[in-house]
Amino acid sequence: MIPAAFDYTRAGSAEEAVSLLSQHGDEAKLLAGGHSLLPLMKLRLATPALLVDVGRLGELSYVRDEGDHIAIGALTRHHDLVHSDLLRQQVPILSHTAGLVGDPQVRHRGTIGGSLAHGDPASDLPAVVLALGGTLVARGPRGERTIPATEFFRGFLETALAPDELLTEIRVPKAGGGWSYQKFNRRAFDWAIVGVAAVADGGGRAAVSLVNMGPTPLRATAVEEALAGGASVAEAASHAADGLDPPSDLNASPEYRRHLATVLVRRALEEAGTR
Amino acid sequence: MTVNGKTYEHEVEPRLLLVYYLREVLGLTGTNVGCDTTSCGACTVLLNGESVKSCTVLAVQADGADITTIEGLAGPDGKLHPIQEAFREHHALQCGYCTPGMVMAVTSLLRENPHPSEDQVRFGLEGNLCRCTGYHNIVKAVLAAAAAGAGSAPIGAGTAGAVPTGGAVAGGGAR
């Protein structure tokens, strides 16, 4: 499969990328690792007139200790998240889950910023950043702004990023307590049929998010509220799919996903409580 | 772009995929196209020493990069790379179609983790499908190659032209 024809340019800096985006509007798309965008283009589900390649902006590939949080450059590859000692120590759920994205070849190319900006509800890292209560930094022609992860995912493959904005950094609080990421799929490298990220606060509460249970990654608020109200893990987990309308596809019906969510939330809370 | 030690310069359409650049522009047909959807791993090559699926990389993204394909793995005298040797010894192939990608994925895996456990080998090859389901012998070959120090073995000759093709190169078949 061959993508439709497009023009290609390589941005030499983040500023240049933003300037190219503001010149070309929604005709242009940013290309990082390309492992979400190129498959869409090969299927002709995306036909951008211009690709702005930001894949070589080394200035946006880093994992830094910023005191109360860890700052991750948007162009940091999954492979580098897995092998970052800093991330492994301070935010182990993110490093661990990056190692479950796709397969080794995908992790050599794909980036955390690309994964978040793509906004696929079936992706692993958006749900983890959501459970961590992360913040995203975007740069546009009018400067920089921060967007809480809770306000970033707007719809299926839709985020709060404007067409002329570049996601530059992801900030996540240090999370040394209990955690778990549960990914259920049928083939090794597939997307999760349902996934669950849980980050415990040590006081019986936990932040819980869901993969592939709706048009965006979702916080399991009913589970979080039940835990905060003193419910047992099993009781809290039974609320995993409350009010949700999960998708139907070849792999699973909505009913199957609702059931799977309750099972995986229970496993995630149990593991987060003992880790 | 440098491919198997040799530098090439071509003007290409932006939409040309790396795998088609290798196969159709350079004539290096050892790299196979399988699923064409980033799933099967048959098109795996090394980009700056790391495994990638060349059906999901634009040739222009690899501008200036150092690429190694299955043709570049053996030595200048045709001596097989220890991973190829282990694949032959352990009969780690049936129809051979997945083999070039499998061998390149293993090369990357052992460079990152020279002595993996069996589980790490299986997990490390999750991006490569063998439709003959010949996984057990592949895993045996990888463990044997690791034991033989394949993770630190040099790659190829640096001169792609000197590498014999055909029967001498494990995985070079199924074109």
Side-chain angles (χ1 to χ4, degrees), chain A residues 222-261:
Chain A
V223 174
E224 296 176 352
E225 283 164 13
L227 285 173
S232 68
V233 162
E235 192 187 326
S238 71
H239 295 289
D242 283 9
L244 300 185
D245 185 19
S248 175
D249 59 27
L250 280 176
N251 284 316
S253 65
E255 292 72 27
Y256 182 85
R257 282 198 161 85
R258 281 194 200 98
H259 174 71
L260 200 49

Side-chain angles (χ1 to χ4, degrees), chain A:
Chain A
M1 294 177 294
I2 309 295
F6 55 86
D7 288 326
Y8 170 91
T9 184
R10 193 178 295 148
S13 66
E15 282 69 30
E16 192 188 348
V18 168
S19 147
L20 284 163
L21 286 180
S22 47
Q23 277 169 49
H24 294 274
D26 58 8
E27 291 286 283
K29 284 287 276 181
L30 293 171
L31 176 70
H35 275 51
S36 297
L37 181 58
L38 293 178
L40 284 183
M41 290 172 63
K42 287 165 76 176
L43 293 167
R44 311 265 173 134
L45 295 172
T47 52
L50 174 70
L51 284 192
V52 177
D53 189 351
V54 293
R56 297 189 188 195
L57 299 183
E59 66 197 78
L60 294 181
S61 173
Y62 54 83
V63 180
R64 286 186 198 138
D65 192 332
E66 297 286 352
D68 62 337
H69 70 272
I70 299 293
I72 303 166
L75 287 167
T76 311
R77 304 177 308 161
H78 306 313
H79 177 81
D80 299 324
L81 298 177
V82 175
H83 293 278
S84 162
D85 287 337
L86 179 60
L87 202 61
R88 259 197 285 214
Q89 284 158 18
Q90 301 293 348
V91 198
I93 186 173
L94 190 50
S95 179
H96 169 84
T97 306
L100 301 179
V101 176
D103 55 47
Q105 291 96 317
V106 171
R107 297 192 287 273
H108 284 145
R109 296 293 295 168
T111 65
I112 182 170
S115 174
L116 293 169
H118 187 53
D120 187 337
S123 290
D124 304 297
L125 298 188
V128 171
V129 172
L130 191 60
L132 286 166
T135 303
L136 291 83
V137 183
R139 195 178 299 172
R142 292 160 302 284
E144 205 169 80
R145 67 177 177 127
T146 56
I147 309 164
T150 47
E151 294 166 22
F152 185 74
F153 303 103
R154 295 285 174 84
F156 184 72
L157 305 188
E158 196 188 326
T159 70
L161 288 173
D164 57 2
E165 280 183 315
L166 167 71
L167 180 60
T168 55
E169 186 174 280
I170 294 91
R171 296 174 183 162
V172 286
K174 293 179 178 176
W179 59 274
S180 177
Y181 186 74
Q182 299 288 324
K183 180 174 185 173
F184 188 88
N185 58 16
R186 287 152 59 97
R187 293 186 306 180
F189 52 80
D190 262 343
W191 282 267
I193 294 174
V194 173
V196 175
V199 180
D201 76 346
R205 298 182 186 219
V208 180
S209 66
L210 302 168
V211 178
N212 219 356
M213 283 294 288
T216 65
L218 297 161
R219 283 287 281 264
T221 46
V223 174
E224 296 176 352
E225 283 164 13
L227 285 173
S232 68
V233 162
E235 192 187 326
S238 71
H239 295 289
D242 283 9
L244 300 185
D245 185 19
S248 175
D249 59 27
L250 280 176
N251 284 316
S253 65
E255 292 72 27
Y256 182 85
R257 282 198 161 85
R258 281 194 200 98
H259 174 71
L260 200 49
T262 62
V263 173
L264 295 179
V265 167
R266 180 175 51 75
R267 288 181 191 168
L269 291 175
E270 284 170 356
E271 188 174 50
T274 56
R275 173 128 56 187

Side-chain angles (χ1 to χ4, degrees), chain B residues 22-116:
Chain B
L22 295 170
R23 288 179 57 87
E24 294 175 6
V25 179
L26 303 188
L28 295 170
T29 53
T31 303
N32 286 332
V33 178
C35 69
D36 204 5
T37 57
T38 338
S39 301
C40 79
C43 65
T44 300
V45 300
L46 303 188
L47 190 155
N48 297 331
E50 295 175 324
S51 59
V52 301
K53 295 181 172 178
S54 60
C55 77
T56 311
V57 177
L58 299 171
V60 290
Q61 284 179 290
D63 181 26
D66 187 9
I67 304 289
T68 307
T69 70
I70 189 72
E71 289 93 339
L73 208 51
D77 53 355
K79 187 176 170 7
L80 295 183
H81 186 277
I83 293 170
Q84 294 172 306
E85 193 58 61
F87 266 62
R88 184 167 74 174
E89 181 65 26
H90 293 270
H91 192 61
L93 67 162
Q94 291 182 42
C95 84
Y97 200 85
C98 72
T99 312
M102 208 55 96
V103 168
M104 298 318 289
V106 172
T107 307
S108 183
L109 172 70
L110 293 186
R111 281 157 68 93
E112 285 172 19
N113 181 4
H115 298 287

